[in-house]
Amino acid sequence: MVVVASHLRVKVRGVAIRTAFAAIALSQFAAADALHAQAEDASFTDFPFLVHCEAAGVDHAFYLSKIDPDGVAVYISPDRLAGTLTITGKAQLIGGEGSGNCAGKTLEQLRSTGQAYYLQR
């Protein structure tokens, strides 16, 4: 009887783990669809024209270069530094250490700290 109960517990645990894994996988697909729908709506008016960042005592101006089809805005500085930003994500430096005062900030945080500059219409 003990062997049957132990076998049943192992079987139930396996089903629970597979169910949890399936739920996680499905939630990732749902989140990806939501982000994709949001990315399709992203336009130049959603992003600042310029983002001002300071790193190691040097001020840098990052200019909006393009918005990828997946909603990732690419910013480039005159000294060939580059970074990315999304509507709901955080600023990231491309190909380097993210030690400046923009790294890891959301678009809203860049706005509130006065580091995001928009074109006037």
Side-chain angles (χ1 to χ4, degrees), residues 43-46 118-121:
S43 71
F44 274 93
T45 58
D46 296 322
Y118 291 82
L119 290 175
Q120 300 295 325
R121 290 186 179 210

Side-chain angles (χ1 to χ4, degrees), residues 4-119:
V4 173
S6 176
H7 179 67
L8 184 61
R9 265 188 261 133
V10 169
K11 198 172 193 176
V12 169
R13 186 179 309 145
V15 170
I17 290 171
R18 285 191 298 272
T19 303
F21 179 75
I24 291 168
L26 289 174
S27 68
Q28 288 177 343
F29 286 123
D33 284 343
L35 288 174
H36 182 69
Q38 209 172 28
E40 289 177 356
D41 296 338
S43 71
F44 274 93
T45 58
D46 296 322
F47 292 96
F49 173 72
L50 179 139
V51 176
H52 169 251
C53 303
E54 182 272 324
V58 178
D59 291 317
H60 298 276
F62 289 85
Y63 297 93
L64 180 58
S65 175
K66 70 176 183 173
I67 302 173
D68 290 342
D70 56 355
V72 176
V74 177
Y75 287 82
I76 300 174
S77 73
D79 52 348
R80 296 184 174 189
L81 296 174
T84 60
L85 185 61
T86 62
I87 296 291
T88 58
K90 296 181 178 183
Q92 297 179 345
L93 185 63
I94 296 174
E97 296 289 322
S99 61
N101 68 351
C102 288
K105 287 186 178 177
T106 65
L107 185 56
E108 185 56 41
Q109 289 170 324
L110 290 170
R111 282 186 198 128
S112 68
T113 57
Q115 293 175 266
Y117 297 87
Y118 291 82
L119 290 175

